[in-house]
Amino acid sequence: EHINEIDEDLILAYAHEAIQNQIDGKEIKPNRTRRPVIIPDLLQNQLNIDQVLQEKFEKFTLGNQRDFAEYIETAKRNTTKLKRIEKIIPMIKDGVGLNDKYKK
């Protein structure tokens, strides 16, 4: 079709429908189901032991908490998980997110 073949009646019908939807209060809402943060046991144990660490961790956004949790959980070996725990504890206490250096 060419631009000269625009169906004005169809466009007018769409415009009226959009106006009526607005009047009726209809709106499209994005599906914002949030994934829960699943804290690995090794991290949870550290949070249980250290109240300051727990408080600092809770101040992070859910996304940052999820980053820390997934960082621990994605390690295959337990020794790697323990090394990662040692790495993130100072970061959490300093309020530094795992991926902050990439988010600027």
Side-chain angles (χ1 to χ4, degrees), residues 5-100:
E5 299 175 13
I6 293 176
D7 186 343
E8 292 178 21
D9 291 333
L10 183 61
I11 292 175
L12 197 55
Y14 282 137
H16 286 296
E17 182 182 358
I19 291 168
Q20 190 59 50
N21 286 342
Q22 187 69 30
I23 291 170
D24 293 344
K26 294 179 181 176
E27 60 182 281
I28 297 173
K29 294 183 180 177
N31 184 4
R32 305 202 91 191
T33 56
R34 292 180 182 251
R35 291 183 299 144
V37 178
I38 299 168
I39 311 283
D41 290 341
L42 286 173
L43 179 56
Q44 188 60 58
N45 291 341
Q46 291 300 314
L47 296 174
N48 292 343
I49 293 169
D50 187 337
Q51 186 64 37
V52 172
L53 185 67
Q54 174 80 32
E55 290 170 6
K56 297 279 189 170
F57 184 78
E58 289 174 356
K59 288 183 181 178
F60 280 102
T61 64
L62 289 178
N64 280 334
Q65 290 179 11
R66 194 174 293 111
D67 288 344
F68 286 122
E70 289 175 359
Y71 180 64
I72 302 303
E73 200 55 39
T74 56
K76 290 180 179 73
R77 295 173 43 210
N78 217 36
T79 53
T80 307
K81 290 181 182 195
L82 292 171
K83 285 180 185 175
R84 289 183 178 186
I85 289 277
E86 289 174 18
K87 175 185 174 182
I88 66 169
I89 287 175
M91 294 176 73
I92 294 170
K93 287 188 174 183
D94 291 341
V96 177
L98 190 61
N99 298 310
D100 282 1

